[in-house]
Amino acid sequence: MSRIIRVVQISALLLVASLPARADLKVATSLSDLASVAQWVGGKHVVTQSLCRGYEDPHFVPAKPSLMKAIQHADVFVSVGLELDGGWLPLVLPGSRNPKIQAGASGFVDASEGVNVLEKPIGTVSRAEGDIHPLGNPHYYADPKQLEIVADHLAQVFSRLDPTNAADYAANARAFDAKMETELAKWQKQLAPYQGAAVVTYHKNFVYFADRFGLKLFGNVEPKPGIPPTPRHLSELAESMKQSGVKVVLYQPYYSADASRELASKAGGVAVEIATEAGGLPGTDDVFAKFDTLVSSVAGALAGKSGGAK
Ligand SMILES: [Zn+2]
């Protein structure tokens, strides 16, 4: 990603952060996808901002004072939940000194409530054991259907906090769900020729996407979520990819392109940079644009046309 694009995105964030208090609800989120859904549902009644940009690793956002300041006057805070933001949000929220959005307060939303959680661990797992998904896989925003659940949830929360505009929030959520259903049918058609095809992803953040679109996950560049790859892991994975004819490695802008390319080249395949969060790559400004780009990249890579390959 070029410096210019980053500067533009950072300026956009600052612009949102400094907007006057004219909106009925000021909504902050930990993830760009949640800000995008919140904007669709809130429409003209809300301003939104995400603390983590789409090209930043949502597991490890530095808990800077500027983030705490940015949410000082927020009415609503939407967390991904399932511990995705569990390493930094517990520092940023209290740091904001904003009583409305602390965990448990009426303005705090756990967006994972109501979501169909995949990879729920059996028994007790903690981050201390090196697993950053202790409550199940938190990357549900890679499935369009799960975002419909989030939209409905946000419409309820916005209506409770701002009853005057409740009818608008409900109508916006219905419109969001309807648009998502139409787009989903289009994306499913695009990926239909690749049912059962296997891919490798850098991190375990593709299970919801694979589940929705009928792809298989062959392995991860990381040996364990949050643990960087070792040369031995990459060699072994490349060998089994070759044996099984798996040729596509997918990685986000915040993960190591070098490790992904090394693996792909050893396996005789391609490494493709993808955005699983809105704003992660140019042309992925909202959740619909994100899925458009993501589905095209994955379909292109599986077809052997690695347009997005770097
Ligand atoms: Zn993760």
Side-chain angles (χ1 to χ4, degrees):
M1 166 133 350
S2 80
R3 185 171 289 268
I4 293 171
I5 292 168
R6 279 183 198 247
V7 168
V8 169
Q9 283 173 334
I10 290 163
S11 312
L13 179 84
L14 293 176
L15 185 71
V16 173
S18 61
L19 275 175
R22 268 180 319 201
D24 298 304
L25 288 177
K26 291 184 283 300
V27 182
T29 68
S30 51
L31 196 80
S32 55
D33 281 33
L34 298 177
S36 175
V37 177
Q39 193 61 61
W40 275 90
V41 172
K44 63 182 179 192
H45 305 301
V46 306
V47 287
T48 58
Q49 63 168 323
S50 170
L51 294 186
C52 179
R53 270 79 59 114
Y55 51 84
E56 294 175 322
D57 185 345
H59 307 86
F60 303 107
V61 174
K64 291 178 294 192
S66 58
L67 297 188
M68 302 171 191
K69 199 159 179 250
I71 57 172
Q72 233 172 2
H73 304 294
D75 301 301
V76 184
F77 193 92
V78 189
S79 160
V80 185
L82 299 172
E83 290 272 308
L84 178 67
D85 40 24
W88 53 277
L89 203 53
L91 298 170
V92 172
L93 283 183
S96 75
R97 299 180 187 276
N98 177 351
K100 287 192 279 188
I101 56 167
Q102 301 302 314
S106 63
F108 178 83
V109 184
D110 178 342
S112 72
E113 277 173 27
V115 159
N116 177 28
V117 180
L118 300 178
E119 294 184 339
K120 269 193 181 170
I122 300 157
T124 321
V125 182
S126 82
R127 277 175 166 257
E129 288 154 26
D131 195 325
I132 54 172
H133 296 161
L135 302 177
N137 196 299
H139 301 282
Y140 55 83
Y141 50 89
D143 173 7
K145 279 274 195 192
Q146 305 298 328
L147 292 186
E148 293 178 26
I149 295 169
V150 173
D152 297 344
H153 185 183
L154 291 183
Q156 285 169 19
V157 173
F158 294 174
S159 300
R160 173 166 51 76
L161 295 173
D162 175 29
T164 317
N165 297 312
D168 282 358
Y169 297 135
N172 290 347
R174 277 197 302 274
F176 177 89
D177 294 353
K179 183 174 168 63
M180 197 55 100
E181 285 298 305
T182 309
E183 298 289 305
L184 176 58
K186 183 187 79 183
W187 298 323
Q188 278 173 325
K189 218 171 174 177
Q190 267 178 280
L191 285 169
Y194 311 106
Q195 289 297 293
V199 297
V200 167
T201 60
Y202 192 95
H203 178 69
K204 270 191 145 184
N205 51 10
F206 221 54
V207 289
Y208 292 86
F209 186 94
D211 195 55
R212 177 62 57 201
F213 293 103
L215 303 178
K216 282 197 183 125
L217 296 176
F218 189 78
N220 300 109
V221 179
E222 288 177 328
K224 209 174 175 185
I227 307 295
T230 58
R232 187 180 163 175
H233 172 70
L234 291 181
S235 298
E236 286 173 358
L237 182 55
E239 199 45 49
S240 45
M241 283 172 72
K242 264 201 282 193
Q243 281 168 14
S244 303
V246 177
K247 290 189 180 303
V248 174
V249 179
L250 304 170
Y251 67 98
Q252 281 76 9
Y254 44 83
Y255 286 131
S256 166
D258 288 347
S260 308
R261 286 179 199 147
E262 187 191 325
L263 174 67
S265 116
K266 277 185 178 162
V270 288
V272 179
E273 189 179 39
I274 54 163
T276 40
E277 290 85 13
L281 289 171
T284 63
D285 290 345
D286 76 355
V287 287
F288 294 105
K290 175 197 86 170
F291 281 115
D292 266 338
T293 307
L294 180 57
V295 168
S296 297
S297 299
V298 173
L302 289 170
K305 290 175 276 186
S306 51
K310 302 266 166 77

